[in-house]
Amino acid sequence: MSAVHLLRDGALAELRLDNPDKLNCFTAGMLDQLAEHLEAIERDAGIACVLVTHEGAKAFCSGADILAWGALGPADFARHWVRGGHRIFDRLAALSKPTIAVMNGHAFGGGLELAAACDIRVMRPKATIALPEPAVGIVPGWSGTQRLQRLLPEPVIKEMALFGRRIEAERARALGFVAEVAEDPRAAANTIAARVTEISPRAVEITKMMLHAGAGEQSAALIEALGSAAISATADRDEGVAAFREKRKPEFPGT
């Protein structure tokens, strides 16, 4: 049974976490479903923007299911659970479409890391964010000590991770982590997303790539992707392909 749904409404896609009885915490199956949906979204040229939402009013996502990783040995925990989840969250961050985390409830641990992998976040006033991993004897594993360093001041991350404090929505907005605090985060996110659907999808995609490259988010891959996109639009590239197919020496026009 799917616990991460991919829904479509025109050019707007929605990734919905559906495990409210466990505060939308991630299981291994949910990670696999998220990965599959991200690949489907990337291939769909008709999608202009993606909302990451959740069922239930209490939690956006409470992190990783302890029952899912608690029985794993050190090697499997590090190799599969941590590295696998990290790779999937990196895939979300690298998605070519703009993404918005719609946070009606709390985002703890992996849930905060999921929200951080989105481009912007909209949050309900009573929702909070936290990094409670040390309280259960582990450390943040899906970019909580890495990507968050680019989005929040280091002392604030330490406040959560080392001292177990929660950060409220208005403070998160003042810190620039949250774009908007609203009683109805979904309505606010829909308004933001509507604007994205009205502007050039290619310009949005390239701008996101440039911003991420400048911020060090997978910069090596993005630089090569941008370079490849530029060269693919040249007559030299067309001549190189044609010469290969015709088994002859290319005559590059230099344009």
PDB file of all heavy atoms in Angstrom, residues 90-124:
ATOM      1  N   ASP A  90      18.660  14.177  -1.698  1.00  0.00           N
ATOM      2  CA  ASP A  90      19.460  14.938  -2.661  1.00  0.00           C
ATOM      3  C   ASP A  90      18.743  15.005  -4.007  1.00  0.00           C
ATOM      4  O   ASP A  90      18.806  16.031  -4.702  1.00  0.00           O
ATOM      5  CB  ASP A  90      20.835  14.292  -2.849  1.00  0.00           C
ATOM      6  CG  ASP A  90      21.788  14.562  -1.694  1.00  0.00           C
ATOM      7  OD1 ASP A  90      21.466  15.410  -0.843  1.00  0.00           O
ATOM      8  OD2 ASP A  90      22.854  13.922  -1.656  1.00  0.00           O
ATOM      9  N   ARG A  91      18.069  13.919  -4.368  1.00  0.00           N
ATOM     10  CA  ARG A  91      17.332  13.895  -5.634  1.00  0.00           C
ATOM     11  C   ARG A  91      16.196  14.896  -5.601  1.00  0.00           C
ATOM     12  O   ARG A  91      15.913  15.559  -6.607  1.00  0.00           O
ATOM     13  CB  ARG A  91      16.781  12.474  -5.892  1.00  0.00           C
ATOM     14  CG  ARG A  91      16.136  12.315  -7.259  1.00  0.00           C
ATOM     15  CD  ARG A  91      17.223  12.376  -8.334  1.00  0.00           C
ATOM     16  NE  ARG A  91      16.653  12.389  -9.663  1.00  0.00           N
ATOM     17  CZ  ARG A  91      16.283  13.498 -10.317  1.00  0.00           C
ATOM     18  NH1 ARG A  91      16.410  14.672  -9.728  1.00  0.00           N
ATOM     19  NH2 ARG A  91      15.813  13.444 -11.538  1.00  0.00           N
ATOM     20  N   LEU A  92      15.520  15.007  -4.469  1.00  0.00           N
ATOM     21  CA  LEU A  92      14.462  16.015  -4.318  1.00  0.00           C
ATOM     22  C   LEU A  92      15.044  17.414  -4.445  1.00  0.00           C
ATOM     23  O   LEU A  92      14.493  18.267  -5.148  1.00  0.00           O
ATOM     24  CB  LEU A  92      13.766  15.844  -2.965  1.00  0.00           C
ATOM     25  CG  LEU A  92      12.771  16.936  -2.561  1.00  0.00           C
ATOM     26  CD1 LEU A  92      11.630  17.026  -3.568  1.00  0.00           C
ATOM     27  CD2 LEU A  92      12.230  16.670  -1.157  1.00  0.00           C
ATOM     28  N   ALA A  93      16.162  17.649  -3.781  1.00  0.00           N
ATOM     29  CA  ALA A  93      16.784  18.981  -3.843  1.00  0.00           C
ATOM     30  C   ALA A  93      17.206  19.337  -5.259  1.00  0.00           C
ATOM     31  O   ALA A  93      17.142  20.498  -5.658  1.00  0.00           O
ATOM     32  CB  ALA A  93      17.990  19.031  -2.907  1.00  0.00           C
ATOM     33  N   ALA A  94      17.634  18.330  -6.036  1.00  0.00           N
ATOM     34  CA  ALA A  94      18.121  18.574  -7.392  1.00  0.00           C
ATOM     35  C   ALA A  94      17.016  18.568  -8.438  1.00  0.00           C
ATOM     36  O   ALA A  94      17.292  18.777  -9.624  1.00  0.00           O
ATOM     37  CB  ALA A  94      19.160  17.511  -7.753  1.00  0.00           C
ATOM     38  N   LEU A  95      15.776  18.348  -8.031  1.00  0.00           N
ATOM     39  CA  LEU A  95      14.672  18.296  -8.985  1.00  0.00           C
ATOM     40  C   LEU A  95      14.640  19.578  -9.816  1.00  0.00           C
ATOM     41  O   LEU A  95      14.818  20.683  -9.290  1.00  0.00           O
ATOM     42  CB  LEU A  95      13.359  18.131  -8.222  1.00  0.00           C
ATOM     43  CG  LEU A  95      12.164  17.563  -8.978  1.00  0.00           C
ATOM     44  CD1 LEU A  95      12.425  16.131  -9.413  1.00  0.00           C
ATOM     45  CD2 LEU A  95      10.915  17.631  -8.099  1.00  0.00           C
ATOM     46  N   SER A  96      14.429  19.440 -11.118  1.00  0.00           N
ATOM     47  CA  SER A  96      14.462  20.611 -11.997  1.00  0.00           C
ATOM     48  C   SER A  96      13.248  21.521 -11.810  1.00  0.00           C
ATOM     49  O   SER A  96      13.261  22.678 -12.223  1.00  0.00           O
ATOM     50  CB  SER A  96      14.554  20.174 -13.461  1.00  0.00           C
ATOM     51  OG  SER A  96      13.396  19.464 -13.853  1.00  0.00           O
ATOM     52  N   LYS A  97      12.184  21.014 -11.200  1.00  0.00           N
ATOM     53  CA  LYS A  97      10.980  21.812 -10.957  1.00  0.00           C
ATOM     54  C   LYS A  97      11.069  22.492  -9.589  1.00  0.00           C
ATOM     55  O   LYS A  97      11.608  21.920  -8.637  1.00  0.00           O
ATOM     56  CB  LYS A  97       9.727  20.940 -10.972  1.00  0.00           C
ATOM     57  CG  LYS A  97       9.783  19.701 -11.855  1.00  0.00           C
ATOM     58  CD  LYS A  97       9.643  20.006 -13.317  1.00  0.00           C
ATOM     59  CE  LYS A  97       9.596  18.700 -14.118  1.00  0.00           C
ATOM     60  NZ  LYS A  97       9.373  18.914 -15.551  1.00  0.00           N
ATOM     61  N   PRO A  98      10.541  23.691  -9.437  1.00  0.00           N
ATOM     62  CA  PRO A  98      10.493  24.327  -8.117  1.00  0.00           C
ATOM     63  C   PRO A  98       9.628  23.509  -7.158  1.00  0.00           C
ATOM     64  O   PRO A  98       8.619  22.929  -7.557  1.00  0.00           O
ATOM     65  CB  PRO A  98       9.845  25.688  -8.401  1.00  0.00           C
ATOM     66  CG  PRO A  98      10.049  25.924  -9.848  1.00  0.00           C
ATOM     67  CD  PRO A  98      10.017  24.582 -10.497  1.00  0.00           C
ATOM     68  N   THR A  99      10.035  23.459  -5.903  1.00  0.00           N
ATOM     69  CA  THR A  99       9.331  22.654  -4.902  1.00  0.00           C
ATOM     70  C   THR A  99       8.983  23.497  -3.684  1.00  0.00           C
ATOM     71  O   THR A  99       9.745  24.382  -3.275  1.00  0.00           O
ATOM     72  CB  THR A  99      10.186  21.456  -4.458  1.00  0.00           C
ATOM     73  OG1 THR A  99      11.458  21.937  -3.992  1.00  0.00           O
ATOM     74  CG2 THR A  99      10.416  20.490  -5.615  1.00  0.00           C
ATOM     75  N   ILE A 100       7.818  23.203  -3.104  1.00  0.00           N
ATOM     76  CA  ILE A 100       7.349  23.923  -1.918  1.00  0.00           C
ATOM     77  C   ILE A 100       6.937  22.908  -0.862  1.00  0.00           C
ATOM     78  O   ILE A 100       6.096  22.041  -1.118  1.00  0.00           O
ATOM     79  CB  ILE A 100       6.134  24.828  -2.235  1.00  0.00           C
ATOM     80  CG1 ILE A 100       6.437  25.786  -3.388  1.00  0.00           C
ATOM     81  CG2 ILE A 100       5.715  25.602  -0.988  1.00  0.00           C
ATOM     82  CD1 ILE A 100       5.230  26.586  -3.864  1.00  0.00           C
ATOM     83  N   ALA A 101       7.496  22.988   0.324  1.00  0.00           N
ATOM     84  CA  ALA A 101       7.068  22.160   1.446  1.00  0.00           C
ATOM     85  C   ALA A 101       5.892  22.836   2.126  1.00  0.00           C
ATOM     86  O   ALA A 101       5.986  23.999   2.534  1.00  0.00           O
ATOM     87  CB  ALA A 101       8.213  21.963   2.439  1.00  0.00           C
ATOM     88  N   VAL A 102       4.776  22.134   2.240  1.00  0.00           N
ATOM     89  CA  VAL A 102       3.557  22.665   2.844  1.00  0.00           C
ATOM     90  C   VAL A 102       3.430  22.042   4.231  1.00  0.00           C
ATOM     91  O   VAL A 102       3.015  20.899   4.387  1.00  0.00           O
ATOM     92  CB  VAL A 102       2.330  22.338   1.975  1.00  0.00           C
ATOM     93  CG1 VAL A 102       1.072  22.972   2.580  1.00  0.00           C
ATOM     94  CG2 VAL A 102       2.539  22.838   0.548  1.00  0.00           C
ATOM     95  N   MET A 103       3.764  22.816   5.248  1.00  0.00           N
ATOM     96  CA  MET A 103       3.954  22.281   6.593  1.00  0.00           C
ATOM     97  C   MET A 103       2.802  22.700   7.522  1.00  0.00           C
ATOM     98  O   MET A 103       2.867  23.704   8.203  1.00  0.00           O
ATOM     99  CB  MET A 103       5.303  22.755   7.145  1.00  0.00           C
ATOM    100  CG  MET A 103       6.471  22.385   6.231  1.00  0.00           C
ATOM    101  SD  MET A 103       7.988  23.329   6.550  1.00  0.00           S
ATOM    102  CE  MET A 103       8.447  22.659   8.145  1.00  0.00           C
ATOM    103  N   ASN A 104       1.748  21.868   7.523  1.00  0.00           N
ATOM    104  CA  ASN A 104       0.632  22.105   8.434  1.00  0.00           C
ATOM    105  C   ASN A 104       0.974  21.696   9.859  1.00  0.00           C
ATOM    106  O   ASN A 104       0.315  22.132  10.801  1.00  0.00           O
ATOM    107  CB  ASN A 104      -0.599  21.315   7.971  1.00  0.00           C
ATOM    108  CG  ASN A 104      -1.421  22.085   6.960  1.00  0.00           C
ATOM    109  OD1 ASN A 104      -1.934  23.153   7.255  1.00  0.00           O
ATOM    110  ND2 ASN A 104      -1.530  21.551   5.762  1.00  0.00           N
ATOM    111  N   GLY A 105       1.966  20.813   9.993  1.00  0.00           N
ATOM    112  CA  GLY A 105       2.338  20.315  11.315  1.00  0.00           C
ATOM    113  C   GLY A 105       3.834  20.345  11.525  1.00  0.00           C
ATOM    114  O   GLY A 105       4.589  20.890  10.718  1.00  0.00           O
ATOM    115  N   HIS A 106       4.274  19.727  12.607  1.00  0.00           N
ATOM    116  CA  HIS A 106       5.673  19.755  13.005  1.00  0.00           C
ATOM    117  C   HIS A 106       6.562  19.008  12.013  1.00  0.00           C
ATOM    118  O   HIS A 106       6.146  18.043  11.380  1.00  0.00           O
ATOM    119  CB  HIS A 106       5.838  19.125  14.395  1.00  0.00           C
ATOM    120  CG  HIS A 106       4.957  19.735  15.442  1.00  0.00           C
ATOM    121  ND1 HIS A 106       4.981  21.079  15.746  1.00  0.00           N
ATOM    122  CD2 HIS A 106       4.012  19.183  16.258  1.00  0.00           C
ATOM    123  CE1 HIS A 106       4.102  21.337  16.704  1.00  0.00           C
ATOM    124  NE2 HIS A 106       3.498  20.201  17.026  1.00  0.00           N
ATOM    125  N   ALA A 107       7.803  19.434  11.909  1.00  0.00           N
ATOM    126  CA  ALA A 107       8.808  18.771  11.068  1.00  0.00           C
ATOM    127  C   ALA A 107      10.027  18.491  11.936  1.00  0.00           C
ATOM    128  O   ALA A 107      10.768  19.413  12.287  1.00  0.00           O
ATOM    129  CB  ALA A 107       9.179  19.650   9.885  1.00  0.00           C
ATOM    130  N   PHE A 108      10.219  17.222  12.283  1.00  0.00           N
ATOM    131  CA  PHE A 108      11.306  16.831  13.167  1.00  0.00           C
ATOM    132  C   PHE A 108      12.277  15.912  12.432  1.00  0.00           C
ATOM    133  O   PHE A 108      11.872  15.058  11.637  1.00  0.00           O
ATOM    134  CB  PHE A 108      10.769  16.095  14.397  1.00  0.00           C
ATOM    135  CG  PHE A 108       9.837  16.895  15.252  1.00  0.00           C
ATOM    136  CD1 PHE A 108       8.900  16.265  16.055  1.00  0.00           C
ATOM    137  CD2 PHE A 108       9.889  18.278  15.270  1.00  0.00           C
ATOM    138  CE1 PHE A 108       8.035  16.994  16.856  1.00  0.00           C
ATOM    139  CE2 PHE A 108       9.029  19.030  16.064  1.00  0.00           C
ATOM    140  CZ  PHE A 108       8.095  18.378  16.859  1.00  0.00           C
ATOM    141  N   GLY A 109      13.564  16.041  12.724  1.00  0.00           N
ATOM    142  CA  GLY A 109      14.567  15.123  12.184  1.00  0.00           C
ATOM    143  C   GLY A 109      14.498  15.019  10.678  1.00  0.00           C
ATOM    144  O   GLY A 109      14.670  16.009   9.957  1.00  0.00           O
ATOM    145  N   GLY A 110      14.236  13.805  10.181  1.00  0.00           N
ATOM    146  CA  GLY A 110      14.139  13.598   8.745  1.00  0.00           C
ATOM    147  C   GLY A 110      13.050  14.422   8.098  1.00  0.00           C
ATOM    148  O   GLY A 110      13.128  14.754   6.907  1.00  0.00           O
ATOM    149  N   GLY A 111      12.016  14.784   8.858  1.00  0.00           N
ATOM    150  CA  GLY A 111      10.973  15.647   8.323  1.00  0.00           C
ATOM    151  C   GLY A 111      11.486  17.051   8.057  1.00  0.00           C
ATOM    152  O   GLY A 111      11.138  17.682   7.049  1.00  0.00           O
ATOM    153  N   LEU A 112      12.332  17.551   8.960  1.00  0.00           N
ATOM    154  CA  LEU A 112      12.956  18.848   8.737  1.00  0.00           C
ATOM    155  C   LEU A 112      13.920  18.776   7.562  1.00  0.00           C
ATOM    156  O   LEU A 112      14.003  19.695   6.742  1.00  0.00           O
ATOM    157  CB  LEU A 112      13.684  19.299  10.004  1.00  0.00           C
ATOM    158  CG  LEU A 112      14.499  20.588   9.908  1.00  0.00           C
ATOM    159  CD1 LEU A 112      13.661  21.752   9.403  1.00  0.00           C
ATOM    160  CD2 LEU A 112      15.133  20.917  11.259  1.00  0.00           C
ATOM    161  N   GLU A 113      14.645  17.665   7.459  1.00  0.00           N
ATOM    162  CA  GLU A 113      15.569  17.485   6.337  1.00  0.00           C
ATOM    163  C   GLU A 113      14.819  17.390   5.016  1.00  0.00           C
ATOM    164  O   GLU A 113      15.289  17.881   3.978  1.00  0.00           O
ATOM    165  CB  GLU A 113      16.415  16.232   6.585  1.00  0.00           C
ATOM    166  CG  GLU A 113      17.379  16.408   7.748  1.00  0.00           C
ATOM    167  CD  GLU A 113      17.925  15.102   8.282  1.00  0.00           C
ATOM    168  OE1 GLU A 113      17.201  14.092   8.282  1.00  0.00           O
ATOM    169  OE2 GLU A 113      19.094  15.087   8.719  1.00  0.00           O
ATOM    170  N   LEU A 114      13.624  16.787   5.027  1.00  0.00           N
ATOM    171  CA  LEU A 114      12.782  16.743   3.835  1.00  0.00           C
ATOM    172  C   LEU A 114      12.358  18.154   3.433  1.00  0.00           C
ATOM    173  O   LEU A 114      12.436  18.529   2.256  1.00  0.00           O
ATOM    174  CB  LEU A 114      11.549  15.883   4.110  1.00  0.00           C
ATOM    175  CG  LEU A 114      10.519  15.797   2.979  1.00  0.00           C
ATOM    176  CD1 LEU A 114      11.065  15.002   1.804  1.00  0.00           C
ATOM    177  CD2 LEU A 114       9.213  15.167   3.488  1.00  0.00           C
ATOM    178  N   ALA A 115      11.906  18.939   4.391  1.00  0.00           N
ATOM    179  CA  ALA A 115      11.501  20.315   4.106  1.00  0.00           C
ATOM    180  C   ALA A 115      12.675  21.139   3.596  1.00  0.00           C
ATOM    181  O   ALA A 115      12.529  21.973   2.704  1.00  0.00           O
ATOM    182  CB  ALA A 115      10.914  20.955   5.360  1.00  0.00           C
ATOM    183  N   ALA A 116      13.858  20.903   4.162  1.00  0.00           N
ATOM    184  CA  ALA A 116      15.053  21.640   3.750  1.00  0.00           C
ATOM    185  C   ALA A 116      15.452  21.319   2.319  1.00  0.00           C
ATOM    186  O   ALA A 116      16.075  22.141   1.644  1.00  0.00           O
ATOM    187  CB  ALA A 116      16.214  21.333   4.697  1.00  0.00           C
ATOM    188  N   ALA A 117      15.097  20.127   1.839  1.00  0.00           N
ATOM    189  CA  ALA A 117      15.425  19.740   0.467  1.00  0.00           C
ATOM    190  C   ALA A 117      14.512  20.406  -0.557  1.00  0.00           C
ATOM    191  O   ALA A 117      14.794  20.369  -1.759  1.00  0.00           O
ATOM    192  CB  ALA A 117      15.349  18.218   0.317  1.00  0.00           C
ATOM    193  N   CYS A 118      13.416  21.016  -0.093  1.00  0.00           N
ATOM    194  CA  CYS A 118      12.531  21.773  -0.980  1.00  0.00           C
ATOM    195  C   CYS A 118      13.083  23.182  -1.175  1.00  0.00           C
ATOM    196  O   CYS A 118      13.902  23.661  -0.390  1.00  0.00           O
ATOM    197  CB  CYS A 118      11.123  21.828  -0.398  1.00  0.00           C
ATOM    198  SG  CYS A 118      10.312  20.212  -0.279  1.00  0.00           S
ATOM    199  N   ASP A 119      12.610  23.861  -2.212  1.00  0.00           N
ATOM    200  CA  ASP A 119      13.132  25.192  -2.516  1.00  0.00           C
ATOM    201  C   ASP A 119      12.658  26.232  -1.512  1.00  0.00           C
ATOM    202  O   ASP A 119      13.432  27.086  -1.078  1.00  0.00           O
ATOM    203  CB  ASP A 119      12.724  25.607  -3.936  1.00  0.00           C
ATOM    204  CG  ASP A 119      13.411  24.747  -4.985  1.00  0.00           C
ATOM    205  OD1 ASP A 119      14.631  24.538  -4.860  1.00  0.00           O
ATOM    206  OD2 ASP A 119      12.729  24.281  -5.916  1.00  0.00           O
ATOM    207  N   ILE A 120      11.377  26.194  -1.171  1.00  0.00           N
ATOM    208  CA  ILE A 120      10.851  27.104  -0.150  1.00  0.00           C
ATOM    209  C   ILE A 120       9.873  26.343   0.728  1.00  0.00           C
ATOM    210  O   ILE A 120       9.446  25.229   0.392  1.00  0.00           O
ATOM    211  CB  ILE A 120      10.170  28.364  -0.737  1.00  0.00           C
ATOM    212  CG1 ILE A 120       8.940  27.981  -1.568  1.00  0.00           C
ATOM    213  CG2 ILE A 120      11.160  29.176  -1.555  1.00  0.00           C
ATOM    214  CD1 ILE A 120       8.135  29.192  -2.014  1.00  0.00           C
ATOM    215  N   ARG A 121       9.492  26.970   1.848  1.00  0.00           N
ATOM    216  CA  ARG A 121       8.624  26.322   2.809  1.00  0.00           C
ATOM    217  C   ARG A 121       7.528  27.285   3.266  1.00  0.00           C
ATOM    218  O   ARG A 121       7.795  28.481   3.477  1.00  0.00           O
ATOM    219  CB  ARG A 121       9.442  25.864   4.031  1.00  0.00           C
ATOM    220  CG  ARG A 121      10.377  24.700   3.727  1.00  0.00           C
ATOM    221  CD  ARG A 121      11.688  24.763   4.481  1.00  0.00           C
ATOM    222  NE  ARG A 121      12.550  25.853   4.006  1.00  0.00           N
ATOM    223  CZ  ARG A 121      13.330  25.749   2.930  1.00  0.00           C
ATOM    224  NH1 ARG A 121      13.363  24.629   2.230  1.00  0.00           N
ATOM    225  NH2 ARG A 121      14.074  26.767   2.533  1.00  0.00           N
ATOM    226  N   VAL A 122       6.317  26.749   3.429  1.00  0.00           N
ATOM    227  CA  VAL A 122       5.191  27.500   3.987  1.00  0.00           C
ATOM    228  C   VAL A 122       4.739  26.736   5.226  1.00  0.00           C
ATOM    229  O   VAL A 122       4.595  25.516   5.191  1.00  0.00           O
ATOM    230  CB  VAL A 122       4.036  27.635   2.975  1.00  0.00           C
ATOM    231  CG1 VAL A 122       2.890  28.427   3.593  1.00  0.00           C
ATOM    232  CG2 VAL A 122       4.524  28.312   1.697  1.00  0.00           C
ATOM    233  N   MET A 123       4.495  27.465   6.312  1.00  0.00           N
ATOM    234  CA  MET A 123       4.341  26.795   7.613  1.00  0.00           C
ATOM    235  C   MET A 123       3.142  27.350   8.382  1.00  0.00           C
ATOM    236  O   MET A 123       2.844  28.554   8.326  1.00  0.00           O
ATOM    237  CB  MET A 123       5.627  27.009   8.413  1.00  0.00           C
ATOM    238  CG  MET A 123       5.874  26.063   9.554  1.00  0.00           C
ATOM    239  SD  MET A 123       7.611  26.313  10.130  1.00  0.00           S
ATOM    240  CE  MET A 123       7.612  25.222  11.550  1.00  0.00           C
ATOM    241  N   ARG A 124       2.456  26.492   9.090  1.00  0.00           N
ATOM    242  CA  ARG A 124       1.350  26.899   9.951  1.00  0.00           C
ATOM    243  C   ARG A 124       1.916  27.522  11.223  1.00  0.00           C
ATOM    244  O   ARG A 124       2.962  27.090  11.723  1.00  0.00           O
ATOM    245  CB  ARG A 124       0.493  25.679  10.278  1.00  0.00           C
ATOM    246  CG  ARG A 124      -0.832  26.008  10.924  1.00  0.00           C
ATOM    247  CD  ARG A 124      -1.642  24.740  11.112  1.00  0.00           C
ATOM    248  NE  ARG A 124      -2.912  25.031  11.740  1.00  0.00           N
ATOM    249  CZ  ARG A 124      -3.790  24.096  12.100  1.00  0.00           C
ATOM    250  NH1 ARG A 124      -3.489  22.813  11.888  1.00  0.00           N
ATOM    251  NH2 ARG A 124      -4.923  24.416  12.663  1.00  0.00           N
TER     252      ARG A 124
END
